[in-house]
Amino acid sequence: FDATEVDIVSAKRVTRTQPKASKMDDDDSPSVIDELAEDLGFGDYLGEEDDNEYYEDHEHDQLPDVESYKAQMGHEGRPASLKKSICVAVCSFVLLTAVLAGVVSALMNAGEPEVVEFEDDASNEGNADNWDKGESKHFLMIREYVTTVRGISTFDSIQAQNGVQSPQYLAAQWMAHGDPMNMGVPVDMPNLEFDERYAMAVFYFATGGPTWSAQLNFLSGGHICTWNEAVEAFDGFAELRYGLSECPPNAANPFPRALIITESNNMTGTIPDEIRGLERLQIFHLENNPGITGSIPDGFRRMAALQQFTVSFCSLTGTIPPFVSELSSTIEAFALSGNKMDGPLPESLSDMTNLKVLALDRNEFEGNIDVVAPLTRLQKLFLDKNHITGTLSDSWMGNFGDLQALDLSENLLDGSLPPNFFNQVNRVNLNAIDLHANSFTGSFPSSLDVSDANTALKYLSLHENRMTGTLPQSIFTKLQQLQLLDVSNNLLDGSLDDIADFTPTTTETISPLQYLYAGGNGFSASPIPSWISAFGSLRELVLPETSLTGQLPDWLFTDMPKLQHVDLQGNQLAGAIPNSIGQAKELVDLYLKGNSLSGEIPPGISQLTRLQLVLLEQNGFTGDMAGKFCNPNNPSKMLNVVKISNGEENGIIKTLVMDCEEENLICDCCTKCCASGNDICNTEVDWTQFRLYWKPHWNHGYYDSNLNF
């Protein structure tokens, strides 16, 4: 088979009524489309003139003489005037018929661009080895259209050089010889359906499509609206489809409004510039594919309908391109979380005033926080884990009346929190603030003392700064929805016991606190504050190195039935662990390392069937752990076990560390033994990383952006 030939009989022409592009009229050299049109037998239609010179020069040589004509007719010739009239009438009739036929055809095909259709190739199925036919007529027409007519690709990109087939080349070959749909090739007018099909074929090959974990129905014979697969419903969605979806129902010319791939799909390569071919796309979500590299292609600037742009947790590099300002009229969500991008925050970000979600976290961006001040419609702002500088002022905070979540953690911000930081007047929806790991100084803002309670804020993380002063009681009474408070590792002082005076029976309205972290400050010595018992919904209590004294109170285990994580390491607690610990049925982690606790472990601890991580070293415990942590019938095994898939049993406790190098403490099931005076034992692991608390669900919460139309 000669790949440079095409079966002329197998190709058919569909009438066009649109005028040809002027640039083709001005060019004296024939284009590939002109040549192919000539081969297909309709060169006259494209503007070529008939050469009638031969017929004019030899017209009389072709006419019979008078006698011959009479003999053929069988009678005498008619007068010349009559013969002329008959000839004129016949010619006029033929001409009129042709004109009328052309008008009818034009009316029937008005608005339809000219396309050239090819019959199905016998090798339309299989891989590139079957449908790569080199520079066939079909392939050349596709290349001419996507380069010269539409400018989706460059001519040089659609090549196969030195045995390497570019994604653009593979896409054009597939559409010419491998696509079961076998779309007709537009000649010189736009065909958006053809553009989108070609663009997504390029996207498939440019991102390692043949090795995707899920093929998502790409390169199937159906419309590209079918290039997707359903995924399990989550977060309230009745159905979500990965791939191309959200096509308008019952549309005469359907097109996908969303490209969504948010799970790892073994995608490798770069996002091709041909993405520009999806001019009508409104949502672009590509996440959790670290094999995606390169920079943001220029092709996105042509996507005038784009509303949500997300390329997160991939490996993009480079800077934010200035052209993002050109998307300002439509774009509502712009997310580049978890890439390898750098450079300054461009001033063009300020023009994206319709943004509701801006997520640039976990990159290496630099610049001043004031760049985002004009984005007054923001609902979620995530700039954490960058190198952003600047201070927060009341005017800056006042710009964001619709803000719901603010994460500026792990940057280079400094100064004190503005006086009206907690004022809810202009921020009635703000429920999450994370400013940890910056260089903020000063005390808690005076807005905590205003009479109006904040009814929105649920998560407040200020740890790892340089804040001073005391922890005010108003933080628990004015922030009436507060569930998480993290002020650990600052320079706070005073006594924890003096912060509040409410009890479990207090009539004062307090926040439904679930997570309290205040360790690593300069608090003065005090017992474990009794006001903590008022928070009956507490799940995690983390107060290491807070100069706590006295004994472990019973209420710690009886009044907070939801308690899962207790971290009281590095204090001066003394006495025995109360047997009431057995009532803390939900307890998973118990960190009491580095205190002065003593006595035997109470038998009630054997009732804690969810315990997984227990650190009790550097204390003075004594006795045998059989029947408490260890199985009395097999002391080397844990008491509480769970069956695993192969039928074996594993201890629920994964880590148990005690001073079992001492003679008066026996723990055959301990995972590590220390000596009571050994301060460096078991310091090679940062056990705080295993606590239950991690960033609450609001972090990177743009996943719940509206994907439905």
Side-chain angles (χ1 to χ4, degrees):
F1 179 83
D2 186 354
T4 63
E5 296 181 356
V6 65
D7 183 0
I8 303 300
V9 177
S10 68
K12 62 179 180 179
R13 174 170 173 267
V14 177
T15 304
R16 65 168 185 164
T17 59
Q18 300 292 338
K20 289 186 62 61
S22 58
K23 63 179 179 179
M24 299 185 69
D25 296 333
D26 296 337
D27 192 351
D28 293 332
S29 60
S31 68
V32 173
I33 289 181
D34 295 326
E35 295 174 354
L36 294 175
E38 176 67 28
D39 290 339
L40 295 174
F42 52 92
D44 292 346
Y45 189 85
L46 297 182
E48 297 179 5
E49 297 181 357
D50 290 333
D51 187 357
N52 296 320
E53 207 172 299
Y54 175 85
Y55 297 100
E56 292 174 357
D57 292 344
H58 299 83
E59 180 180 4
H60 297 290
D61 294 340
Q62 299 173 40
L63 295 175
D65 57 34
V66 176
E67 296 301 327
S68 299
Y69 181 76
K70 289 180 178 180
Q72 293 173 9
M73 298 299 294
H75 52 77
E76 295 296 325
R78 296 180 175 85
S81 59
L82 179 58
K83 291 189 289 184
K84 182 177 180 180
S85 299
I86 294 173
C87 182
V88 170
V90 171
C91 292
S92 298
F93 177 77
V94 172
L95 179 61
L96 180 60
T97 302
V99 170
L100 289 174
V103 171
V104 172
S105 176
L107 292 174
M108 292 178 64
N109 294 283
E112 296 182 4
E114 179 183 11
V115 298
V116 176
E117 295 184 354
F118 292 79
E119 289 187 0
D120 287 343
D121 197 307
S123 58
N124 267 353
E125 298 180 356
N127 56 32
D129 294 336
N130 294 330
W131 40 254
D132 182 0
K133 299 184 180 302
E135 295 189 350
S136 67
K137 295 290 182 69
H138 198 169
F139 168 82
L140 292 176
M141 287 196 75
I142 292 174
R143 184 172 69 181
E144 180 78 1
Y145 172 77
V146 299
T147 58
T148 304
V149 177
R150 296 296 285 143
I152 299 174
S153 294
T154 63
F155 185 87
D156 291 340
S157 68
I158 309 182
Q159 302 289 335
Q161 298 178 345
N162 301 322
V164 178
Q165 301 163 316
S166 70
Q168 295 81 0
Y169 176 87
L170 289 170
Q173 286 289 349
W174 175 77
M175 290 195 71
H177 307 297
D179 185 0
M181 179 173 276
N182 193 30
M183 288 188 70
V185 182
V187 175
D188 60 357
M189 295 294 291
N191 184 316
L192 296 182
E193 183 179 347
F194 191 96
D195 296 353
E196 291 163 347
R197 196 172 187 85
Y198 170 75
M200 289 316 300
V202 175
F203 177 84
Y204 176 82
F205 290 113
T207 57
T211 60
W212 286 0
S213 302
Q215 288 295 296
L216 305 179
N217 215 26
F218 268 58
L219 303 196
S220 62
H223 190 282
I224 61 172
C225 283
T226 67
W227 290 11
N228 56 67
E229 293 179 5
V231 296
E232 185 177 352
F234 68 97
D235 289 344
F237 290 109
E239 181 182 66
L240 182 63
R241 305 191 74 87
Y242 285 166
L244 290 159
S245 60
E246 299 294 342
C247 294
N250 304 319
N253 297 297
F255 62 92
R257 291 187 287 188
L259 172 60
I260 304 172
I261 305 176
T262 61
E263 295 295 335
S264 178
N265 200 34
N266 195 36
M267 302 177 76
T268 58
T270 61
I271 302 172
D273 198 50
E274 282 73 11
I275 200 73
R276 69 178 65 237
L278 286 93
E279 296 181 14
R280 300 181 286 185
L281 198 73
Q282 298 177 19
I283 297 177
F284 185 90
H285 278 274
L286 178 59
E287 303 166 36
N288 300 311
N289 283 278
I292 297 296
T293 60
S295 58
I296 299 175
D298 189 69
F300 280 104
R301 73 191 312 163
R302 190 159 135 180
M303 301 171 67
L306 201 62
Q307 296 177 12
Q308 299 181 24
F309 173 86
T310 299
V311 183
S312 294
F313 303 102
C314 295
S315 298
L316 292 186
T317 55
T319 60
I320 299 175
F323 72 73
V324 296
S325 62
E326 300 175 24
L327 306 174
S328 59
S329 62
T330 60
I331 197 77
E332 295 183 350
F334 188 74
L336 293 168
S337 305
N339 283 288
K340 300 177 181 179
M341 302 184 70
D342 55 18
L345 298 178
E347 292 294 332
S348 54
L349 277 178
S350 300
D351 298 326
M352 304 176 73
T353 53
N354 286 320
L355 275 183
K356 295 180 181 179
V357 176
L358 177 61
L360 305 178
D361 50 289
R362 301 167 191 261
N363 284 284
E364 300 293 331
F365 292 123
E366 303 172 349
N368 194 281
I369 191 68
D370 290 339
V371 170
V372 301
L375 308 182
T376 57
R377 296 184 181 182
L378 279 177
Q379 296 178 6
K380 297 177 182 179
L381 176 59
F382 304 117
L383 299 179
D384 47 299
K385 295 181 175 64
N386 282 290
H387 307 290
I388 310 300
T389 58
T391 60
L392 300 184
S393 63
D394 278 332
S395 61
W396 187 91
M397 292 290 294
N399 289 326
F400 310 112
D402 297 325
L403 202 62
Q404 299 173 11
L406 174 66
D407 193 344
L408 305 177
S409 61
E410 298 187 41
N411 278 292
L412 303 175
L413 301 171
D414 54 18
S416 59
L417 299 182
N420 292 314
F421 184 75
F422 292 107
N423 193 319
Q424 69 161 357
V425 173
N426 294 321
R427 293 182 298 279
V428 295
N429 299 312
L430 185 56
N431 60 63
I433 299 176
D434 191 346
L435 303 179
H436 85 266
N438 281 283
S439 297
F440 290 111
T441 57
S443 58
F444 281 87
S446 58
S447 54
L448 271 173
D449 297 326
V450 298
S451 58
D452 291 335
N454 188 306
T455 59
L457 193 62
K458 296 180 179 179
Y459 308 100
L460 178 60
S461 294
L462 298 171
H463 55 288
E464 297 178 51
N465 281 285
R466 291 182 286 175
M467 298 186 66
T468 56
T470 60
L471 187 65
Q473 174 173 320
S474 56
I475 204 168
F476 303 112
T477 58
K478 300 300 181 183
L479 306 181
Q480 293 189 354
Q481 296 299 319
L482 193 65
Q483 297 178 18
L484 182 149
L485 175 64
D486 193 342
V487 293
S488 56
N489 298 310
N490 276 281
L491 302 175
L492 300 176
D493 53 23
S495 170
L496 275 176
D497 198 35
D498 295 336
I499 289 176
D501 56 6
F502 37 74
T503 67
T505 60
T506 185
T507 58
E508 188 173 10
T509 301
I510 60 175
S511 57
L513 199 66
Q514 298 181 26
Y515 307 90
L516 176 61
Y517 308 92
N521 282 284
F523 296 120
S524 57
S526 72
I528 297 176
S530 60
W531 54 263
I532 294 177
S533 63
F535 300 108
S537 298
L538 202 67
R539 295 177 182 273
E540 299 190 22
L541 177 64
V542 181
L543 300 175
E545 301 178 8
T546 49
S547 302
L548 295 177
T549 60
Q551 297 183 337
L552 293 172
D554 283 322
W555 58 257
L556 183 62
F557 307 111
T558 59
D559 292 1
M560 293 181 288
K562 297 182 180 181
L563 199 62
Q564 296 177 324
H565 180 93
V566 174
D567 184 353
L568 301 175
Q569 300 178 86
N571 286 290
Q572 291 89 48
L573 296 171
I577 297 176
N579 195 49
S580 58
I581 194 173
Q583 298 184 43
K585 302 295 186 181
E586 300 297 314
L587 198 61
V588 176
D589 300 330
L590 180 63
Y591 297 177
L592 298 176
K593 168 185 175 181
N595 281 280
S596 299
L597 297 168
S598 58
E600 293 194 1
I601 301 298
I605 207 164
S606 64
Q607 303 300 313
L608 304 182
T609 57
R610 298 191 63 191
L611 270 182
Q612 294 183 20
L613 203 160
V614 183
L615 305 180
L616 300 178
E617 72 272 26
Q618 298 175 32
N619 281 286
F621 294 117
T622 59
D624 191 344
M625 296 303 106
K628 297 171 182 177
F629 293 119
C630 306
N631 189 325
N633 299 319
N634 189 354
S636 64
K637 300 291 184 180
M638 294 293 178
L639 177 64
N640 294 309
V641 298
V642 60
K643 290 186 177 181
I644 55 179
S645 58
N646 61 5
E648 295 182 1
E649 294 182 340
N650 277 350
I652 294 177
I653 296 179
K654 302 297 188 296
T655 301
L656 173 61
V657 184
M658 299 188 71
D659 298 326
C660 41
E661 288 187 3
E662 303 294 328
E663 293 182 356
N664 56 354
L665 194 150
I666 302 172
C667 184
D668 293 335
C669 65
C670 277
T671 57
K672 187 177 183 66
C673 286
C674 296
S676 60
N678 187 352
D679 294 339
I680 63 172
C681 180
N682 198 30
T683 58
E684 66 275 10
V685 177
D686 178 15
W687 295 105
T688 60
Q689 66 180 306
F690 296 103
R691 70 187 187 187
L692 296 182
Y693 158 62
W694 62 92
K695 291 262 188 175
H697 69 275
W698 54 264
N699 197 38
H700 307 136
Y702 51 84
Y703 291 133
D704 63 8
S705 298
N706 184 17
L707 300 180
N708 295 321
F709 291 86

